[in-house]
Amino acid sequence: MTKHHSLPTNESTSVSTSTTVTDFGSSPSQFSPNNRCTLQENLKMVQSETLPLQSTKADETYETTTNCNTLDMYNRVVSSKPSAFNQVLAAMSVSLVSLVGGFVTAYTSPASDSLQRDLLISDDELSWIGGLMPLGALIGGLSGGKMIEYLGRKCTLLVTNATLTFSWICVAVAANQWYLYFGRTIAGVAVGIATLAMPVYLGEAIQPNIRGTLGLLPTMFGNSGVLLCYIAGSYLQWNHLAWLGVGLPIPFMILGFVIPESPKWYVSTSKYENAKRSLQWLRGKEADVQQELDRLLVTLERSTVTSQSLFQSKNIKPVLISLGLMFFQQMSGINAVIFYTSDIFEMAGSRMIHKDTSTIIVGGVNFISTFVATVLIDKLGRKILLYISSTLMIVTLGFLGTYFYLLKTGMDVSFIGWLPLLSFMVYVLGFSFGFGAIPWLMMGEILPAHIRGSGASLATAFNWACTFVVTKTFVDMIQTIGPHGTFWMFCLVGVISVVFIFFWVPETQGLSLEEIELKILSSEIRREEAC
């Protein structure tokens, strides 16, 4: 039913006291405290009538009636601009958890030799020390969706950060493999929860025009954690490296009490004043956040009458897009290639680079390429970077497969002995440029608000399940179809990913979360009408 809100009484004859503004159900004012949000809507509707009211008497009368200066409010609406400083601080703060996660992921590579020497760890036990981490992350991904809905995004990250500190203590004081099993499993659970909480928080807290750039910060910090672990691990023993890990979560423990909770989570829990304060902190004290708060309230109103099922017809497309991006991210073979870097160079007969040096190069290339993607993502868009990423991986995997095929046939390949190293570096560069970060960024963008927690949980768990499958079956694939067949298979996956991007993945550059949701929904409606 159409609703009418009376404007505040004004003594000026320019505006009748019975003037009304028609509300077609899109205004969220009815949800806000004290029902004060209608002022901006009314100002826009009667702008031509209110601008002539310049007399001091009229202004004083209007301010007395509404507890707000009309012209001041109008000027704030049209001229105030949000500040990005606090948003950058918030993004960097939560990304510190990703740095710890990168350190966790990379730990077994530099620590393996000293672990086996000091604790007499066997090769099989060492593989479980590495493998329990992604399995724990799978559990964390499944449970994290409920946590971010009940505890909030920021509070969940604080819990996982504290858990990571505890896990590193368990590793640092380990007397046998069981301490390591427990510590690595707990660390994996925490990393799994954090990898879904970070993109959801950033997607909800950051403005659309800088969301792409700041949304890649967790990946950049994660790669920094990998690089830090590789460099420190070349000098430190396993236990000293673990004690370094104990100290890494401390900065976020401090900053976590400075940054606010996600405003969208506050709205979902009916804490409207807290949501407004959160938005004000994120956008700057001079910014007018009422209009953005109104949009959040409209989204809440719409979500209350929308099905919460992940596989309801209107939700199936964004869920499948998120799962598809996670599938192609891991089935490109990136983790298997990185985990078995030294073995790949050994199979290729390469003597150009030392094992420790190669791992540091991997971390360096990861970091540099993600930094470049961070600069370009809000200029080129998500789809362009995904196309570039897929193309680079397809070409380099094809070259690697061809090199190993020629090696198998007995051909002398010494004249292209540099090819494996170059291909490997470009492959890692291409992956980090797009598929390394964008699936996580888009997970926080394309999932509708009413299923964001459960959808992110499913996508994160699926990602870690794919990680475990690829890394555990890589050696078997090498033995079954050979190195050339394995790399060609990964290359074929890359070709299919280009088709997937073209037909399914939407461009979300510069769009608000509400606009992205409407864009996907409208495309589904058009498709159904065409059918």
Side-chain angles (χ1 to χ4, degrees):
M1 178 180 293
T2 301
K3 299 178 182 178
H4 300 274
H5 300 294
S6 295
L7 284 172
T9 302
N10 195 310
E11 294 179 359
S12 170
T13 58
S14 299
V15 182
S16 168
T17 57
S18 61
T19 301
T20 59
V21 177
T22 303
D23 177 3
F24 293 97
S26 61
S27 173
S29 306
Q30 56 192 307
F31 296 101
S32 60
N34 302 324
N35 204 23
R36 292 178 297 182
C37 298
T38 57
L39 177 57
Q40 293 176 37
E41 301 294 329
N42 293 336
L43 284 173
K44 294 177 182 178
M45 295 296 294
V46 297
Q47 174 184 345
S48 60
E49 297 180 275
T50 57
L51 286 179
L53 302 178
Q54 301 294 333
S55 68
T56 303
K57 181 179 179 181
D59 287 341
E60 290 175 349
T61 303
Y62 196 80
E63 183 174 3
T64 301
T65 307
T66 63
N67 294 321
C68 178
N69 185 291
T70 303
L71 295 178
D72 179 63
M73 283 293 293
Y74 175 76
N75 290 331
R76 285 170 57 197
V77 170
V78 299
S79 64
S80 62
K81 292 183 179 180
S83 170
F85 178 81
N86 283 354
Q87 296 177 68
V88 173
L89 176 61
M92 294 185 69
S93 298
V94 300
S95 298
L96 289 171
V97 183
S98 185
L99 186 146
V100 185
F103 199 89
V104 170
T105 303
Y107 174 75
T108 53
S109 179
S112 58
D113 290 341
S114 56
L115 273 172
Q116 290 185 302
R117 182 185 64 248
D118 294 347
L119 297 182
L120 303 178
I121 301 295
S122 66
D123 289 340
D124 183 64
E125 290 169 341
L126 185 64
S127 69
W128 278 110
I129 293 171
L132 284 172
M133 185 264 168
L135 282 180
L138 171 60
I139 298 171
L142 291 173
S143 60
K146 295 295 184 182
M147 286 187 65
I148 65 173
E149 294 299 337
Y150 289 114
L151 296 181
R153 285 62 160 143
K154 187 192 79 170
C155 290
T156 297
L157 287 171
L158 284 169
V159 171
T160 60
N161 199 59
T163 304
L164 286 168
T165 299
F166 173 71
S167 71
W168 278 119
I169 293 175
C170 293
V171 172
V173 300
N176 53 52
Q177 72 272 23
W178 296 106
Y179 287 81
L180 297 171
Y181 290 164
F182 179 76
R184 294 287 292 174
T185 302
I186 295 299
V189 173
V191 170
I193 296 172
T195 50
L196 76 89
M198 282 183 289
V200 171
Y201 178 90
L202 294 177
E204 295 177 349
I206 308 301
Q207 290 175 268
N209 61 314
I210 57 174
R211 190 176 59 235
T213 298
L214 299 184
L216 293 189
L217 284 181
T219 302
M220 180 188 295
F221 275 65
N223 291 335
S224 300
V226 172
L227 181 59
L228 174 63
C229 188
Y230 286 160
I231 295 175
S234 62
Y235 300 100
L236 301 177
Q237 300 299 308
W238 64 272
N239 52 341
H240 298 147
L241 191 61
W243 282 117
L244 176 59
V246 171
L248 290 180
I250 294 176
F252 179 70
M253 290 182 182
I254 298 172
L255 291 172
F257 293 99
V258 176
I259 64 174
E261 180 56 83
S262 160
K264 183 158 287 190
W265 183 78
Y266 276 137
V267 168
S268 69
T269 55
S270 302
K271 299 176 181 178
Y272 305 117
E273 288 297 332
N274 289 345
K276 187 172 184 177
R277 283 194 293 269
S278 175
L279 277 174
Q280 199 71 68
W281 189 94
L282 289 165
R283 305 298 183 253
K285 63 180 181 180
E286 300 299 327
D288 180 15
V289 300
Q290 192 63 59
Q291 187 176 10
E292 185 173 358
L293 180 61
D294 289 352
R295 288 199 301 268
L296 292 178
L297 291 165
V298 169
T299 304
L300 173 65
E301 180 186 17
R302 186 168 59 243
S303 66
T304 57
V305 295
T306 305
S307 172
Q308 303 295 312
S309 172
L310 280 175
F311 300 104
Q312 196 256 355
S313 59
K314 294 180 180 180
N315 301 331
I316 196 75
K317 183 174 181 178
V319 170
L320 289 180
I321 291 173
S322 188
L323 292 177
L325 288 172
M326 295 301 182
F327 174 83
F328 289 114
Q329 181 194 70
Q330 292 304 320
M331 292 303 169
S332 66
I334 183 64
N335 278 309
V337 171
I338 289 179
F339 288 172
Y340 296 98
T341 301
S342 57
D343 294 333
I344 292 172
F345 280 114
E346 184 177 350
M347 287 186 291
S350 174
R351 299 292 183 268
M352 297 179 62
I353 190 168
H354 189 268
K355 173 184 176 181
D356 291 338
T357 305
S358 67
T359 56
I360 293 175
I361 289 176
V362 170
V365 171
N366 261 311
F367 175 78
I368 294 172
S369 55
T370 309
F371 178 78
V372 174
T374 301
V375 174
L376 295 178
I377 189 167
D378 280 321
K379 297 180 180 179
L380 299 181
R382 282 66 160 157
K383 292 190 72 166
I384 294 297
L385 289 184
L386 286 174
Y387 283 135
I388 295 173
S389 180
S390 294
T391 301
L392 290 176
M393 288 193 292
I394 290 168
V395 172
T396 52
L397 287 169
F399 280 153
L400 280 171
T402 302
Y403 177 89
F404 279 102
Y405 179 77
L406 295 176
L407 192 66
K408 179 186 176 182
T409 61
M411 181 180 294
D412 182 12
V413 293
S414 58
F415 68 100
I416 53 172
W418 46 266
L419 184 62
L421 175 59
L422 178 62
S423 297
F424 179 76
M425 292 177 64
V426 176
Y427 168 78
V428 173
L429 175 69
F431 174 83
S432 300
F433 205 64
F435 265 100
I438 292 178
W440 296 109
L441 170 65
M442 294 194 71
M443 180 186 75
E445 292 181 329
I446 64 174
L447 292 173
H450 53 281
I451 61 163
R452 189 164 293 140
S454 56
S457 178
L458 176 63
T460 302
F462 181 71
N463 180 281
W464 285 107
C466 290
T467 301
F468 180 77
V469 169
V470 171
T471 54
K472 282 298 184 181
T473 61
F474 182 73
V475 174
D476 293 332
M477 287 190 292
I478 291 289
Q479 295 174 349
T480 303
I481 60 179
H484 64 286
T486 302
F487 289 122
W488 280 341
M489 185 188 72
F490 290 147
C491 178
L492 178 61
V493 172
V495 173
I496 299 173
S497 73
V498 174
V499 179
F500 176 80
I501 296 167
F502 182 81
F503 286 104
W504 279 71
V505 178
E507 180 55 72
T508 59
Q509 178 187 9
L511 300 178
S512 68
L513 300 186
E514 293 76 20
E515 290 170 335
I516 295 170
E517 186 173 341
L518 290 174
K519 181 179 181 179
I520 296 176
L521 180 60
S522 62
S523 66
E524 279 296 284
I525 293 174
R526 288 195 300 269
R527 185 185 64 82
E528 292 176 1
E529 290 176 348
C531 294

